[in-house]
Amino acid sequence: MQKTVNGFVPVAGFLTQCVQAMPEFYHEEMPEFVIHEYCPLIDSSNMSPAHWQMIADDIQANYDKYDGFVILHGTDTMAYTASALSFMLQGLTKPVIVTGSQIPLAQLRSDGQTNLLNALYIAANYPVAEVCLFFNNKLFRGNRTTKAHADGFDAFASPNFPLLLEAGIKINLKAGKICTASDGNLRVATIEPHPIGVVTLYPGISTEIFINILQQPVKALILLTFGVGNAPQDEGLLRTLKEADERGIVLVNLTQCFQGKVNMGGYATGNALARAGVIGGADMTIEACLAKLHFLLSQHLSSDQIKAAMKQNIAGELTPD
């Protein structure tokens, strides 16, 4: 990102210039690296499933040339991209680390240099063979992350899964597992864009909102509910959800709470959602749930098959019962 009169914007070639001007990146302990820059560059707010596919395809095309991959990404949608790649990159035997910064790399006090240096160093020396997100000295499982702070350096959190690695004075492996050399073949799943709705419940929410959202072409709806997965026990709402389920729309229940998991058997209000065909999303983040729905919908499965798969732990995105 480069500063302009209209605010920070991505500028072609600017990142390479910045990195080449920083001798730390060429320290003898740093790995050799190649920078591949996309054209055109975009703000991460403009990310789409097509961009996830482009990144995944590029990793596959260059998979045998490198020991690991670091993806530089804006923070706003970083957790969505990390989640999507975790489902798309199947049979991964090398580290894929998504990172970025809260303050652009060229600016005074930027956290970008430390994040990028550490991501490169960790990819080369602590190769955890999964899609990860590195930020503020912490390596997270990518599909367990969410952006937790809009303008602080500690921008990301993993509310329901421990750190993979922590980079303090010493680099300490936590829940991450170092991979060994493998000849396994990477398989890349195709993700297509699909119409998926997301509704945050609030006291007094109108059933009309759900009626409008659940019209075609919507294929799935994520409900952000209260507590362990509760919603108003309103007959009109429950009837609307049941009719949507019968039409093949996949309905997933996630908690609004930052931490914890959905348990629709705990209260009558949650039980009513289950009887209407809503499935529990366990402790998935909204980013992981959305990416997982895109992934499964792209396989052209039946709604029952998708509902069954949503409850399964495919890429470490949820904690099994």
Side-chain angles (χ1 to χ4, degrees), residues 72-209:
L72 293 176
H73 198 291
T75 59
D76 286 348
T77 59
M78 187 183 291
Y80 288 96
T81 295
S83 295
L85 291 175
S86 75
F87 297 109
M88 299 174 74
L89 301 176
Q90 300 173 1
L92 192 63
T93 59
K94 299 178 181 182
V96 173
I97 303 177
V98 188
T99 192
S101 64
Q102 289 286 69
I103 300 177
L105 184 62
Q107 299 301 302
L108 183 67
R109 298 182 56 248
S110 172
D111 53 329
Q113 184 187 56
T114 299
N115 286 341
L116 180 53
L117 273 170
N118 275 291
L120 288 166
Y121 184 83
I122 289 166
N125 296 285
Y126 297 84
V128 177
E130 60 178 280
V131 178
C132 310
L133 188 153
F134 184 86
F135 221 87
N136 197 34
N137 298 317
K138 301 180 185 74
L139 186 72
F140 303 100
R141 174 167 290 171
N143 59 29
R144 290 292 193 138
T145 58
T146 190
K147 190 170 182 184
H149 203 306
D151 54 11
F153 286 140
D154 208 14
F156 288 88
S158 177
N160 292 307
F161 194 79
L163 295 178
L164 298 177
L165 177 151
E166 188 165 21
I169 293 175
K170 293 184 178 180
I171 294 178
N172 296 308
L173 202 65
K174 304 286 187 178
K177 295 181 180 178
I178 302 296
C179 66
T180 55
S182 172
D183 295 328
N185 293 322
L186 177 72
R187 303 178 306 281
V188 173
T190 298
I191 279 191
E192 303 160 356
H194 294 279
I196 298 171
V198 181
V199 176
T200 301
L201 272 65
Y202 56 85
I205 188 169
S206 170
T207 301
E208 292 297 320
I209 291 174

Side-chain angles (χ1 to χ4, degrees), residues 234-255:
D234 178 89
E235 288 303 319
L237 171 59
L238 295 172
R239 185 170 56 253
T240 298
L241 295 175
K242 186 169 181 58
E243 289 171 355
D245 174 64
E246 290 170 349
R247 297 200 310 271
I249 298 175
V250 179
L251 308 171
V252 186
N253 186 353
L254 295 183
T255 176

Side-chain angles (χ1 to χ4, degrees), residues 47-57 73 77 80-82 84-85 88 188 191-192 287 290-291 294-295:
M47 286 293 289
S48 71
H51 297 109
W52 300 340
Q53 192 70 53
M54 183 169 60
I55 294 169
D57 289 344
H73 198 291
T77 59
Y80 288 96
T81 295
L85 291 175
M88 299 174 74
V188 173
I191 279 191
E192 303 160 356
E287 295 91 340
L290 188 82
H294 273 292
F295 167 68

